[in-house]
Amino acid sequence: MPLDLSAREKGIGLALSGGGFRAVLFHVGVLWRLNELGILGRVDRVSSISGGSIALGVLATRWAQLGFDAEGRTGQFDVQVVAPLRDFCGRNIDVSSVLSGALNPFRSAGEVVAEEYRRHLGLGVSLQTLPDTPRFVFNATNYATGVSFRFSKPFAGDYRIGLIPNPGFDVATAVICSSAFPPVLGPIELEVKPEDFTRVEGADLYDQVDFRRRLPLGDGGVYDNLGLETVWGRYENILVSDAGKPFDIDAGIGTMAPRQLLRTMDIGLNQALALRKRMLMAAYERGDARGAFWAINTQPDDYPALEVPGLPVTLARIQDLAAIRTRLDRFKEQEQCELINWGYAISDIAIRSRAPHLAFRPQLPAWPYPRYPLG
């Protein structure tokens, strides 16, 4: 049944997927182009997962310094957002964190990564310091309840156990819970006070106090790697950026038990992701929602031809970039620049072809890093 458009708010929702440092850099390119198109300063809610949450953490904590103009653009994007994220993606975070966590019985690898977020990205500030608008939502997965656990300024929680109003967590905690992929970095166990929660409609586990005392939280991508659920059905305009790992088609898949277990997990996660994508595409086609979707392995030819063509990108470069690792390890200069260029290029094509009504006097596209063209 088509969704009732009258139930949606007039506004723009943006979802940033997971995918480690690869996703961080791809989404930097996306946000770069959204800024040029005059969309970034007009978004109403941004929802993120995992690597997308790292990028969003920096954007959210720097929002007050960006100083958007009347056209929804800022001249401070490079200094406030790009520079710290590029510096961070030039560091080996996961290996050092795993080793540090293994040698320290009092701190897990995930907690070490959270300290890196605080030290190098300035994410040690409270969620209460974030702006009211736009709403920034960091999505994790509650391993106990099996649903999405959300961190935002107004509340943190999930619909099965209730909500914590005006949570005092810092942004680094929200980001590490969102990006703590098991079994290396997560789940992160948060000790909370049961009385901090308030009951909400549908909270069938609220009366079981243990669910409100200990929160085993892990990578939000386990539940929804697009970060779509928190913007879906809320706004008339939905933009979705997917930098997640494309599913590997493998005719030579082995039969050893560990390999089969991993393959089973991949298939399950891929099917959940595919269902969400089909739901989104069907809504676009029916007119229930307006907007655009793009992914790290999307081909520009998948979109209608533009009067002003997008930046040229070869199929070979798309395949190479979609296959880059998703770890939190050091990305070299060329890898960083090419991923940013690709996020910029494909989001530009997707938005100008599928959601041109959102672009405010769009500037012509130009490579963020001309030394690393993809054509």
Side-chain angles (χ1 to χ4, degrees):
M1 178 183 296
L3 293 174
D4 181 5
L5 264 179
S6 64
R8 293 175 180 258
E9 301 174 23
K10 293 184 181 299
I12 304 171
L14 171 64
L16 303 177
S17 80
F21 275 175
R22 182 181 72 186
V24 174
L25 295 162
F26 182 82
H27 294 322
V28 165
V30 169
L31 296 172
W32 193 315
R33 188 52 177 158
L34 290 178
N35 181 48
E36 291 183 350
L37 292 173
I39 297 173
L40 185 60
R42 296 186 289 121
V43 295
D44 295 278
R45 177 176 295 208
V46 190
S47 172
S48 64
I49 299 289
S50 196
S53 289
I54 299 174
L56 185 60
V58 171
L59 179 68
T61 54
R62 308 303 201 281
W63 191 263
Q65 285 73 50
L66 290 174
F68 288 95
D69 61 24
E71 296 185 346
R73 301 185 177 99
T74 174
Q76 295 297 311
F77 182 75
D78 190 13
V79 173
Q80 296 292 340
V81 179
V82 180
L85 285 172
R86 285 203 56 190
D87 175 76
F88 194 65
C89 290
R91 300 175 182 274
N92 284 311
I93 300 298
D94 56 2
V95 174
S96 61
S97 299
V98 170
L99 291 174
S100 179
L103 295 173
N104 188 340
F106 301 105
R107 289 206 307 172
S108 67
E111 291 169 333
V112 175
V113 173
E115 284 302 316
E116 297 293 308
Y117 292 158
R118 296 181 181 103
R119 180 182 303 113
H120 299 295
L121 294 177
L123 303 189
V125 299
S126 170
L127 288 168
Q128 297 309 306
T129 66
L130 301 184
D132 295 322
T133 304
R135 173 83 59 85
F136 297 105
V137 183
F138 305 89
N139 299 276
T141 299
N142 189 331
Y143 276 55
T145 63
V147 299
S148 177
F149 187 99
R150 302 170 185 174
F151 293 89
S152 66
K153 181 178 181 178
F155 66 82
D158 73 48
Y159 74 88
R160 300 199 67 184
I161 61 175
L163 304 177
I164 302 174
N166 305 314
F169 302 111
D170 68 359
V171 177
T173 297
V175 173
I176 188 54
C177 289
S178 178
S179 58
F181 196 82
V184 179
L185 299 180
I188 304 294
E189 294 191 2
L190 299 183
E191 300 293 333
V192 290
K193 297 178 180 179
E195 60 268 24
D196 287 346
F197 285 83
T198 59
R199 187 191 294 270
V200 295
E201 183 178 356
D204 58 313
L205 299 175
Y206 181 85
D207 290 329
Q208 300 183 44
V209 179
D210 285 346
F211 287 103
R212 292 185 283 117
R213 179 176 289 119
R214 171 183 165 272
L215 303 174
L217 305 178
D219 194 295
V222 175
Y223 181 80
D224 171 14
N225 199 45
L226 292 180
L228 182 60
E229 190 171 275
T230 189
V231 294
W232 174 252
R234 181 175 295 274
Y235 297 105
E236 292 182 355
N237 298 284
I238 305 294
L239 301 175
V240 181
S241 181
D242 180 13
K245 179 182 178 231
F247 184 71
D248 292 326
I249 306 298
D250 187 357
I253 190 71
T255 58
M256 298 297 289
R259 184 74 182 274
Q260 287 300 308
L261 179 59
L262 291 173
R263 187 64 172 177
T264 300
M265 292 172 58
D266 283 345
I267 292 172
L269 291 172
N270 181 66
Q271 287 305 301
L273 182 63
L275 286 172
R276 292 184 187 276
K277 287 181 180 178
R278 287 198 291 270
M279 177 183 70
L280 179 65
M281 297 305 153
Y284 286 155
E285 291 174 5
R286 291 193 306 262
D288 290 342
R290 305 174 74 185
F293 169 90
W294 57 89
I296 198 166
N297 63 338
T298 300
Q299 297 182 32
D301 291 345
D302 291 345
Y303 300 98
L306 291 164
E307 183 177 345
V308 177
L311 297 169
V313 185
T314 66
L315 177 59
R317 297 305 300 126
I318 295 173
Q319 293 173 336
D320 289 343
L321 293 169
I324 288 181
R325 65 201 180 280
T326 58
R327 287 178 50 192
L328 305 184
D329 69 353
R330 180 177 179 268
F331 274 59
K332 298 178 181 178
E333 168 84 8
Q334 181 173 347
E335 292 176 317
Q336 291 197 18
C337 293
E338 288 187 348
L339 280 167
I340 291 172
N341 279 351
W342 177 220
Y344 177 102
I346 193 60
S347 60
D348 166 71
I349 293 170
I351 292 170
R352 288 197 294 121
S353 63
R354 297 294 190 188
H357 64 287
L358 293 180
F360 189 88
R361 292 199 298 182
Q363 303 171 2
L364 295 178
W367 293 118
Y369 297 103
R371 288 181 55 198
Y372 299 96
L374 304 176

